[in-house]
């Protein structure tokens, strides 16, 4: 069996591991049951989750069995990791709805049938009916408060105030790993590197309580070369749900990736061979744009399918003079000035926003920069908002 850790290392996933030599031998010799947790705090997965799904697919394709743990129980507490304020607690009904949305999206990437088929579990099934005294006696006794307070996941929250509710999160995540170990033989937890303390706590709990080997591995976070988290736009997160982020917007996000981040994103988020990625990214001039197109197409194809990826690519090329079809908007206004059309087409949210954008030089009509807010828009004109939004206007 090929060792999936070699693949994950070569593509830049692996950040931290524990008992690394033993884990490497295990992954190279037998099928390992592993899990990754997802908190259902929204009704769609976003780009931050996507990297975890790609890693999970690499693991499954190498013969290992995935468990997708949906944090229906822990979401009722809230993960304090990296947060400056306490998360808003959700109702059970909201969480259950989010869980169903996640299941549908994940099925595009992970196999739920056949050999080493993935399973989905919800930790609400064992957390919501816990006896608190038993939990403290059986689990809490194995956690040192001094060590917990030194954990990086609590660092930011300690400055603002950490509630006892949130302080329980590490114990519950560790307990999740223990439950999956006992029920499914799960020996490995994976996740983003910001979860290292929580993941390590679970592996240590199993080793102390069960006297059996358990392992932890975290992945690099999806950040730019400047250290900023990727997947954020002016509208908010880049979602996998096309009603939240359209295939065209999704494509354009990746098409506009910074030059310095293209190679990393191709390695982490696509399944293209490394030699092809190296060939695509060997130039540090305008030829890197071809690699950006490949990145945008491959990711949009994975998330939305090849047909929508091809359509988004054609729209993008049209917007930048490369042929294809532009996205269109039907607009009905009595006075089709640029400011009125910008708002009616949903390109701007208000007249004030449209006016400021025009004054800042951020709007072009066809190939001309707009300087007059009363410029007339004709049927078939193309409005360009910055470098990313390009819309053909159909006046009704």
């Amino acid at each position: 069996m090929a060792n999936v850790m070699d693949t994950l290392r070569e593509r830049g996933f692996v950040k931290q591991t524990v008992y690394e030599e033993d884990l490497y031998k295990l992954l190279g010799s037998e099928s390992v049951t592993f899990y990754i947790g997802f908190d259902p705090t929204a009704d769609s997965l976003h780009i931050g989750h996507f990297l975890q799904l790609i890693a999970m697919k690499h693991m499954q394709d190498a013969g290992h069995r995935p468990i997708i743990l949906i944090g229906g129980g822990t979401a009722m507490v809230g993960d304090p990791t990296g947060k400056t304020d306490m998360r808003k607690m959700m109702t059970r009904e909201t969480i259950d709805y989010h869980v169903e949305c996640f299941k549908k999206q994940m099925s595009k990437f992970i196999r739920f049938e056949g050999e080493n088929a993935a399973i989905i579990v919800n930790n609400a099934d064992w957390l919501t009916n816990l006896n608190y005294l038993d939990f403290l006696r059986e689990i809490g006794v194995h956690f040192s408060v001094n060590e917990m307070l030194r954990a990086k996941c609590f660092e930011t929250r300690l400055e603002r105030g950490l509630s006892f509710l949130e302080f329980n999160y590490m114990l519950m995540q560790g307990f999740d790993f223990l439950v999956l170990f006992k029920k499914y033989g799960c020996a490995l937890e994976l996740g983003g590197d910001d979860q290292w303390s929580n993941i390590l706590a679970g592996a240590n709990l199993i080793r102390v309580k069960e006297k059996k080997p358990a392992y932890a591995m975290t992945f690099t976070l999806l950040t730019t070369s400047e250290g900023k988290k990727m997947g954020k736009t002016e509208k908010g997160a880049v979602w996998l749900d096309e009603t939240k982020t359209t295939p065209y917007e999704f494509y354009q996000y990746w098409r506009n990736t910074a030059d310095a981040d293209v190679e990393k994103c191709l390695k982490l988020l696509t399944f293209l061979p490394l030699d092809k990625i190296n060939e695509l990214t060997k130039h540090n001039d305008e030829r890197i744009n071809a690699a950006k197109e490949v990145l945008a197409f491959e990711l949009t194809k994975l998330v939305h399918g090849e047909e929508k990826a091809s359509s988004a690519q054609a729209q993008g090329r049209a917007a930048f003079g490369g042929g294809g079809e532009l996205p269109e908007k039907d607009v009905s206004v009595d006075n089709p000035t640029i400011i009125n059309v910008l708002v009616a087409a949903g390109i701007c949210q208000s007249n004030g926003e449209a006016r400021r954008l025009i004054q800042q030089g951020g709007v072009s009509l066809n190939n001309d920069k707009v300087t007059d807010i009363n410029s007339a828009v004709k049927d078939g004109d193309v409005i360009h908002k910055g470098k990313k939004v390009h819309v053909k206007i159909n006046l009704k």
Side-chain angles (χ1 to χ4, degrees):
M1 181 185 297
N3 200 312
V4 68
M5 192 180 283
D6 289 332
T7 300
L8 295 175
R9 283 172 175 163
E10 289 168 353
R11 301 187 79 95
F13 281 89
V14 179
K15 188 70 173 182
Q16 296 189 76
T17 59
V18 64
Y19 304 105
E20 185 170 357
E21 290 186 10
D22 292 341
L23 176 58
Y24 184 82
K25 291 176 183 177
L26 185 67
L27 289 171
S29 61
E30 61 183 85
S31 179
V32 175
T33 298
F34 68 96
Y35 94 92
I36 299 179
F38 298 83
D39 272 347
T41 51
D43 59 1
S44 172
L45 297 164
H46 54 66
I47 283 302
H49 298 125
F50 187 64
L51 185 145
Q52 312 297 324
L53 291 175
I54 295 297
M56 185 178 289
K57 183 167 173 56
H58 279 299
M59 291 284 292
Q60 187 178 46
D61 289 348
H64 306 292
R65 182 172 70 141
I67 297 175
I68 297 166
L69 183 141
I70 303 294
T74 39
M76 298 181 77
V77 173
D79 179 5
T81 303
K83 307 296 184 297
T84 56
D85 296 298
M86 184 173 169
R87 273 184 177 173
K88 180 181 179 182
M89 287 182 283
M90 296 179 293
T91 65
R92 180 66 185 265
E93 291 73 25
T94 298
I95 291 169
D96 288 344
Y97 172 68
H98 291 175
V99 168
E100 290 305 310
C101 294
F102 277 27
K103 286 180 180 178
K104 291 178 183 177
Q105 291 183 331
M106 289 175 173
S107 64
K108 294 180 180 180
F109 313 101
I110 307 300
R111 299 191 308 276
F112 292 93
E113 296 180 354
E115 191 175 353
N116 70 310
I119 60 173
I120 295 180
V121 298
N122 186 340
N123 66 9
D125 294 342
W126 56 82
L127 289 178
T128 52
N129 295 317
L130 272 181
N131 180 298
Y132 190 57
L133 286 178
D134 290 343
F135 181 72
L136 288 179
R137 288 171 62 87
E138 295 177 17
I139 305 301
V141 69
H142 297 293
F143 285 78
S144 162
V145 171
N146 290 344
E147 290 181 8
M148 291 175 69
L149 289 172
R150 287 195 294 267
K152 192 170 181 63
C153 63
F154 291 138
E155 196 173 82
T156 304
R157 294 292 287 117
L158 280 171
E159 296 172 2
R160 298 284 296 273
L162 179 70
S163 74
F164 183 70
L165 182 71
E166 295 169 292
F167 195 56
N168 278 268
Y169 192 90
M170 183 183 288
L171 277 71
M172 290 191 292
Q173 187 167 333
F175 184 62
D176 287 344
F177 198 172
L178 179 63
V179 169
L180 297 180
F181 176 84
K182 288 181 173 181
K183 190 170 183 178
Y184 301 103
C186 179
L188 171 63
E189 182 179 357
L190 307 175
D193 196 53
D194 56 347
Q195 290 291 320
W196 175 245
S197 299
N198 293 331
I199 294 173
L200 187 60
N204 289 339
L205 178 63
I206 291 169
R207 285 177 175 265
V208 170
K209 190 169 175 58
E210 300 298 313
K211 311 299 182 186
K212 299 284 182 65
Y215 303 93
M217 180 161 62
T218 58
F219 303 131
T220 184
L221 299 178
L222 193 59
T223 57
T224 67
S225 56
E226 298 174 345
K228 297 179 181 178
K229 185 178 288 187
M230 296 187 75
K232 294 287 185 181
T233 68
E234 292 178 3
K235 292 184 177 180
V238 178
W239 301 98
L240 306 193
D241 183 341
E242 66 179 79
T243 64
K244 291 176 174 290
T245 300
T246 67
Y248 176 72
E249 290 170 333
F250 189 86
Y251 177 92
Q252 284 300 118
Y253 177 83
W254 298 108
R255 177 61 181 80
N256 288 287
T257 300
D259 293 1
D261 299 321
V262 177
E263 181 179 2
K264 177 177 70 175
C265 289
L266 282 167
K267 288 180 176 179
L268 289 173
L269 303 176
T270 78
F271 296 96
L272 293 176
L274 291 177
D275 56 354
K276 182 171 183 179
I277 293 173
N278 292 334
E279 180 66 25
L280 283 167
T281 57
K282 68 181 181 180
H283 301 292
N284 294 318
D285 52 28
E286 69 279 356
R287 286 172 287 187
I288 196 67
N289 288 320
K292 293 182 183 182
E293 267 209 347
V294 171
L295 172 66
F297 180 82
E298 290 294 324
L299 287 185
T300 309
K301 182 173 70 172
L302 282 170
V303 175
H304 297 295
E306 188 164 2
E307 183 178 346
K308 290 179 180 178
S310 297
S311 175
Q313 185 177 65
Q315 292 174 8
R317 286 175 174 174
F320 291 97
E325 298 180 0
L326 278 166
E328 300 183 15
K329 285 279 187 179
D330 293 334
V331 175
S332 178
V333 288
D334 294 333
N335 183 19
T337 62
I338 185 66
I339 193 169
N340 290 338
V341 173
L342 281 168
V343 175
I347 299 171
C348 292
Q349 299 302 309
S350 66
N351 284 354
E353 180 188 344
R355 184 179 292 104
R356 286 192 297 274
L357 192 66
I358 292 169
Q359 291 171 344
Q360 293 166 2
V363 178
S364 295
L365 188 59
N366 299 318
N367 294 317
D368 301 317
K369 187 78 70 177
V370 176
T371 56
D372 182 359
I373 62 173
N374 293 311
S375 296
V377 177
K378 302 185 296 298
D379 184 48
D381 280 350
V382 176
I383 292 177
H384 305 272
K385 176 186 174 184
K387 296 181 178 180
K388 299 181 180 180
V389 179
H390 315 273
V391 181
K392 182 180 178 182
I393 300 300
N394 298 322
L395 294 177
K396 300 296 183 181

